[in-house]
Each structure stands twice: as C-alpha cells, then as structure tokens.
Amino acid sequence: NKFKVKDLFTDQELSKSIYSFIEYLKDKKKGKFKVCTKHLLKFILKTKEIPENHQIDKIKDYVKALDNNDLAQVLLDEILQKEKFDNSSFKLFSQIVNIDSHKDIAPVLESKIKDSDILKHNPKVIKNIKEIFSNSGESEISAFYRNALDSLVKGDISKGTFVFNQELAEENYYYILLNLFMENNSKEENDLITKYLLKQSERLAKADRFEDIKILLDTIDKKRKEDASAAGVAGDLEKRVYDSIEGKVFQKGDIVELGNILDRISESSLGLDVYLKKIFDEGRVNPYALRLLLRFFPRELPYIYERLEQKRTDIDFMVKFMKGLEKVDSPISTDIFKKIFIISNNVIKIQILKSMKEQSTKDYKFFFSLLDKEEVFLRKEALAILKDEESLRVIALTKLLDIPSPLGIRNKLIIENITIVGALGLRDAESDLINLSKRRFFWNRNVRKRAKETLERWYAG
C-alpha cells in the first residue's frame, strides 16, 4: 500500500522501519544510500502542509547525510522537473536544511542552473520559477536562494545567449564579500573587506533594502562573537553601517523594518540640531525618530520643550507629535506629555490625555489632580483613565461626588460630576447618587433631580 508524507510522522512503526532501512543502506550499500535518501527528500517536499518543528527535526534525521551538492541537486530537480514545486515546497526545503548551510548550497545551485539547458524548451518551468521568486520575500526563504532564483529569472538563459546583468553581479559580489568576511582573515584583509562592505551597505540603504541591511548586521554580530581578534573591525563596521542609515529614520512611508534596526543604535552620528530641524522645522515626525531623539539626547529636554512651545499653536503638528510620542511609551515621554499639557489649548490637552492613557506606565497622581480642574472635559477624561483600576475608581468617584456644598455653593460642580459619571456608566457610584438624591433643603433640588434621573436611566437599562 502507498503511504503519504504525514504517515512518516504519525505511523511510528513505518517511521522506525524507514529510518532503519536508510541506516542499513548507509552501512552496507553506500551507492544506493544517497539515491534513496534523495528520493525520500523529494517525496517529503511534495507535501503542502508544513510539518511542525518536531517533525522537521525528524526529517533532518532522515536526510542529514546529504551534502551540499546533493541538496542543491534535489532542489534543482524539483524546481526544473516538478510543475507543482511551489513557494510552500521551497519554504519547507529551507526549514529542513541547516540554516548555516544555505550560503554554501546557493552557489552550487547557481552553478548547476547556469549549466542546465532545460529552460530553453520548457516555458512552464520558467513560469513556475517566476511565481516562486515573486513570492520569495517571506523571511523563511533565504536571501541566498533569492539570488539563485534571480539569476534564472533575469538571466536570458532561455534564449541561449549571455547577457551581463549589472544588478545581479552586484548582488553576487555583495554575498561573496559577506562570505569572505566570515573567514579567518588577516587584519589587512579584514580592513579591505570591510571597506567594500561599507560601500555595499550604502547601496542597500539608498534602495531602502532594510532586510538585507539586517542580514549584514547579523553577520557582523556573528563575526564579532566567533572571532575575538576581529571584534574591533566588526564594531567599527557596525557603527559605520548605522551611521549610513540613521538619517533614513526621517523619511516618509513604511519604515518599520528600519525602525527595528535603529533600535540597536547606542549613539547618534547626526547630532541634536539635525533631529530638531528635521522634526520641528520640516515636520518629519514618526515614533522611530522621536524614540531616537529621546534615547540619544535625554539631557537636552529643555531644547525640545522650547521647540514644542514654539509649535504649540500648530494643531496638526502637535497631534502628530502626540501620536508619535504615544508609541515611544517611556517614562521620559510621560514627562513630556505633562510638560506640554501646561502650554497647550483644550484640543491638544484632550489628545495628550488620550495618548497618556495608552502608556504602559501611568502617572495617576497627575490624573487625580485633574479632577479638581474647572473644565468639565478634563475631569471626564481623567476619570475615563482612572476608572480602569477598581481601587482608583472608587477613590475618584468619592472625590467627585462626596463634595460638601453649604447653601449649595458647589452644586453646579456636583451636577457636572454627576453628568460625567452617568455618561461613563460608572454604576459603582450608585450609593453616592442615592445619597445625593436624598440631600435635604430646597437649594439642593437640582442636585436631587440630576441624581434621580441618572439612577432611573441605569435602572431602566
């Protein structure tokens, strides 16, 4: 009976038998061993369901004896001969192979591709390759294989002629440099390689290829950990790469990938003046730029406050700044919110309170202080924040509703607070409202009325 790929993981007896058979071939019939193992890998790649991690580990046990040439040949055979080999199959292959082996398999694969004539007469295969390549931006698929596929798609192989591809040559040169950088080099060799890698990083930064820059930085970090003698060179290259991309934080568009990279930077190469000019004069405000501004220049807050004071009437800018600062989410950002609150108009104050509500660390003392403010909207916004914590909610409601009012001198304030509590639906205040609905003397008539109306709405609901 035929078995399916999933049977390798669910049928323990079958799995054990296949593994034992492969081990037998390995010991007794080495010639057939690799042939059988390669066929098994090709069979596994047919599945459209990506196995779980522990199942991937089992597959690795089956094929661990295949060398880079064998793995490259399996991949090439599947790409060229199987129309159903797609992005999922390629993703599975990338997971099965040891992550450190990809950089060695890729050049072997590329060499085999260039020597192949099958593309000349098989447009369906070319179409399949293009579809795989168009979907290969996912992180699971190595950049090394993207380059190999790129040579197939962009190289004019199907016409049987050689076309020099400057972009592809540049890419291959870059990855050769990365591989050379990881070798045990002399100081002179490392200096030369890092010089050219820096130029490559500038090329990548210019093209906003932040994922590739991350690969470069990860490679630098790996080099520093594996080769203590190269720590200085690696550290210098890393700093210069960061210097080349720091200014990108001010550009418009989606810079999430860049922002994640810039989180690693410990000091600025641009200086405070550049940040102030870009953010306040040119309006290039985003969470990543603000995060770096506060991280690099925590002692220069007076200059930041001065620029905010100058922009306080620019509502569009201030709202954009508040929303950006909200995502920074740090104790410093909370201090800035409080400072700006003092100099802002009512529109900005509301935005500040909404942003402060989203902070992981909240200054409850500040929010409680707003319950004493004359402006109704400030009391309401403050209570909307305090109500989320039960113990604080009880204290806040008492502060708003248990107010002495001899001869009704504070009744207007009490009625406003009842309205706020009713609008927020804070039924914890029921006992307080019952007490207010029973206050004696004719001057408390409106307080009694508002308290009863609120209670009746709650009971009716």
Side-chain angles (χ1 to χ4, degrees), residues 251-263:
Q251 70 183 27
K252 297 179 180 179
D254 184 7
I255 59 169
V256 174
E257 288 183 358
L258 173 64
N260 293 334
I261 294 173
L262 292 177
D263 280 341

Side-chain angles (χ1 to χ4, degrees), residues 17-27 33 36-37 40 61-63:
S17 297
I18 291 177
Y19 190 79
S20 297
F21 177 65
I22 289 175
E23 288 296 308
Y24 167 77
L25 292 179
K26 182 179 179 181
D27 293 336
F33 163 67
C36 181
T37 306
L40 179 61
D61 285 338
Y62 288 137
V63 302

